[in-house]
Amino acid sequence: MDEFKELEYKYDATDISLSSFLGMVSKLHPIRRQDVSSWDYYYTPSGTEKPEEFMRYRDSRHPELTIKRKTKQTNNWERVQIDLPLDSNKADENTVKSFVSLLNYKENFRIYKTCFIFWFNEVNMVYYIVYDEDMKEKGRFIEIEVNKDKVRTLSDPFATLKLYEGSLAEVGIKSSNRLKRSLFEMFVK
């Protein structure tokens, strides 16, 4: 199951400008950068008052349907994440909505994300802005995530996360700033 393990730290970046993050990350000499934006649709089981599980449809150039599960109730730093790639020529919101409805899931909320992604050998770092359906800004976040192909090969992946976390001190972030809640937990209705 290690190939489906997601290891990441997330931080509130409300008071951190994009330009200060870009300046900090450029000093680390990333291998590559990608800027992307897309809608994320979150589906929860029908009839559940306080859902804890969900599916996410990412409507992007490379669409996918994702299921995530916590491995610890106290935080979201380590989760199981399975991304099911979808055919970009055939996948659309209506097809996914119909599919998940047969599994007794319904849309709970949707957000639009604008992401600035930087890849390194072991991790990727992302600064992203989240908007609601009316494009009202709902939050800014920074994430450091162990690259999925490195989860099994790193002797201590959390030590690697902490190493990169140290570089965030330049923009005012320290380990005590780690968020324990996921975007789903922040925005679920």
Side-chain angles (χ1 to χ4, degrees):
M1 241 356 206
D2 277 352
E3 71 265 30
F4 300 116
K5 192 177 284 189
E6 177 189 50
L7 304 174
E8 72 178 23
Y9 291 150
K10 181 192 312 290
Y11 313 88
D12 183 337
T14 301
D15 297 325
I16 299 168
S17 69
L18 175 59
S19 59
S20 63
F21 175 80
L22 295 176
M24 179 276 305
V25 81
S26 70
K27 294 175 187 174
L28 301 175
H29 307 288
I31 296 167
R32 117 180 129 99
R33 172 184 174 168
Q34 183 178 16
D35 299 350
V36 296
S37 296
S38 67
W39 285 101
D40 282 353
Y41 299 84
Y42 287 79
Y43 303 93
T44 56
S46 296
T48 308
E49 284 186 32
K50 192 173 179 185
E52 290 191 14
E53 60 182 62
F54 66 93
M55 285 190 264
R56 178 192 68 206
Y57 167 52
R58 177 156 290 154
D59 188 4
S60 67
R61 202 171 102 216
H62 303 287
E64 60 189 15
L65 187 61
T66 299
I67 294 178
K68 295 186 183 195
R69 296 286 186 271
K70 284 183 161 192
T71 58
K72 296 179 182 178
Q73 287 302 313
T74 56
N75 66 58
N76 283 285
W77 303 337
E78 180 177 345
R79 297 186 285 187
V80 173
Q81 175 176 322
I82 301 175
D83 298 315
L84 183 64
L86 303 175
D87 184 333
S88 61
N89 296 316
K90 297 179 182 175
D92 63 24
E93 176 192 355
N94 187 52
T95 302
V96 171
K97 182 179 179 178
S98 297
F99 178 83
V100 301
S101 72
L102 289 177
L103 299 172
N104 204 29
Y105 278 68
K106 65 178 182 184
E107 184 178 329
N108 187 286
F109 69 96
R110 63 180 72 177
I111 56 175
Y112 191 81
K113 286 172 63 177
T114 298
C115 304
F116 306 89
I117 309 167
F118 296 86
W119 278 273
F120 301 89
N121 284 326
E122 300 91 6
V123 304
N124 61 79
M125 298 178 83
V126 184
Y127 182 104
Y128 61 92
I129 306 166
V130 175
Y131 303 90
D132 68 12
E133 293 178 56
D134 296 318
M135 296 305 287
K136 180 180 175 194
E137 187 172 315
K138 301 303 287 180
R140 292 174 180 240
F141 303 92
I142 293 173
E143 286 183 8
I144 306 170
E145 180 179 0
V146 174
N147 294 330
K148 290 188 180 16
D149 63 336
K150 299 293 182 182
V151 170
R152 288 187 287 178
T153 61
L154 292 172
S155 60
D156 187 349
F158 281 103
T160 302
L161 284 173
K162 289 176 187 173
L163 176 70
Y164 280 87
E165 179 179 61
S167 64
L168 295 176
E170 184 175 324
V171 294
I173 291 177
K174 50 189 181 270
S175 63
S176 61
N177 298 125
R178 290 182 204 145
L179 296 175
K180 294 182 178 182
R181 295 188 316 150
S182 68
L183 289 181
F184 171 74
E185 291 168 321
M186 290 178 203
F187 299 118
V188 66
K189 296 175 184 170

